């Protein structure tokens, strides 16, 4: 799932991503995620006049840089930035900023190592080293992901109606 407030760079690859909330989600180019990942950008307002919370929400943005790789089963909470080239270990919960080129993991995710900056920059500068995750060139501003999702759902509904599989 993506939200209408999601903006994608080029060559973004999701292997099972759920995005929810009203905060802005910006994902850079050459992003790749494992399965069962979530980005949550809206939270119950617990600092209101009711307990445990009222009916309002607090929205927080998420920004993910270029060439970021997420392992499986990662949760990213609103209000964070994941820097360019970062790698997030499977099973992590990201609730604070992760710097560029950091390798982080855990609950909460903490940095335990950094990529070699010279090696990273050398690979990035060579033509052909930026891996295309799928066959299209990708698009910006989320139009591909949202539009394609709507198109796929519409085609599935029409095919199911024609074949008669919907009760």
């Amino acid at each position: 799932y993506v939200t209408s407030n999601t903006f994608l760079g080029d060559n973004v690859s999701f292997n099972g991503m759920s995005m929810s909330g009203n905060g802005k989600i910006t994902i850079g180019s050459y992003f790749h995620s494992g399965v069962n990942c979530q980005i949550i950008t809206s939270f119950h307002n617990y600092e209101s006049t009711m307990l445990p919370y009222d009916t309002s929400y607090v929205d927080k943005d998420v920004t993910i840089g270029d060439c970021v790789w997420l392992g499986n089963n990662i949760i990213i909470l609103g209000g964070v930035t994941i820097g360019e080239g970062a790698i997030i270990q499977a099973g992590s919960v990201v609730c604070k900023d992760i710097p560029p080129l950091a390798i982080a993991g855990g609950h909460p995710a903490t940095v335990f190592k950094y990529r070699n900056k010279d090696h990273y920059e050398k690979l990035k500068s060579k033509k052909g080293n930026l891996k295309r995750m799928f066959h299209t060139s990708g698009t910006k501003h989320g139009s591909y992901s949202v539009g394609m999702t709507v198109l796929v759902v519409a085609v599935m509904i029409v095919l199911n109606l024609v074949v008669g599989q919907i009760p």
Side-chain angles (χ1 to χ4, degrees), residues 97-125:
D97 290 351
I98 303 296
L101 304 179
I103 302 173
H107 185 275
T110 56
V111 176
F112 59 86
K113 188 174 180 177
Y114 283 87
R115 296 175 95 162
N116 179 305
K117 183 177 181 177
D118 293 335
H119 180 69
Y120 176 86
E121 293 298 334
K122 182 178 176 182
L123 287 174
K124 188 176 165 189
S125 69

Side-chain angles (χ1 to χ4, degrees), residues 7-9 12 14 17 19 24-33 38-39 61-70 74 76 80-86 88 94 98:
F7 301 88
L8 304 176
V12 170
F14 300 115
M17 172 70 75
M19 300 177 206
K24 180 179 177 182
I25 300 170
T26 304
I27 298 176
S29 296
Y30 301 99
F31 166 88
H32 181 78
S33 72
Q38 298 179 56
I39 299 175
D61 299 339
V62 168
T63 302
I64 300 174
D66 292 343
C67 301
V68 170
W69 174 21
L70 303 181
I74 291 174
I76 300 171
V80 302
T81 296
I82 299 175
E84 177 181 342
I88 309 298
V94 180
I98 303 296

Side-chain angles (χ1 to χ4, degrees), residues 17-95:
M17 172 70 75
S18 172
M19 300 177 206
S20 62
N22 295 316
K24 180 179 177 182
I25 300 170
T26 304
I27 298 176
S29 296
Y30 301 99
F31 166 88
H32 181 78
S33 72
V35 298
N36 299 321
C37 294
Q38 298 179 56
I39 299 175
I40 304 168
T41 63
S42 292
F43 308 93
H44 291 288
N45 185 3
Y46 62 87
E47 293 181 339
S48 62
T49 58
M50 299 176 73
L51 292 175
Y53 54 83
D54 67 9
T55 58
S56 67
Y57 290 88
V58 176
D59 301 323
K60 296 182 178 183
D61 299 339
V62 168
T63 302
I64 300 174
D66 292 343
C67 301
V68 170
W69 174 21
L70 303 181
N72 294 344
N73 301 306
I74 291 174
I75 298 172
I76 300 171
L77 299 179
V80 302
T81 296
I82 299 175
E84 177 181 342
I87 300 171
I88 309 298
Q89 184 180 46
S92 298
V93 176
V94 180
C95 55

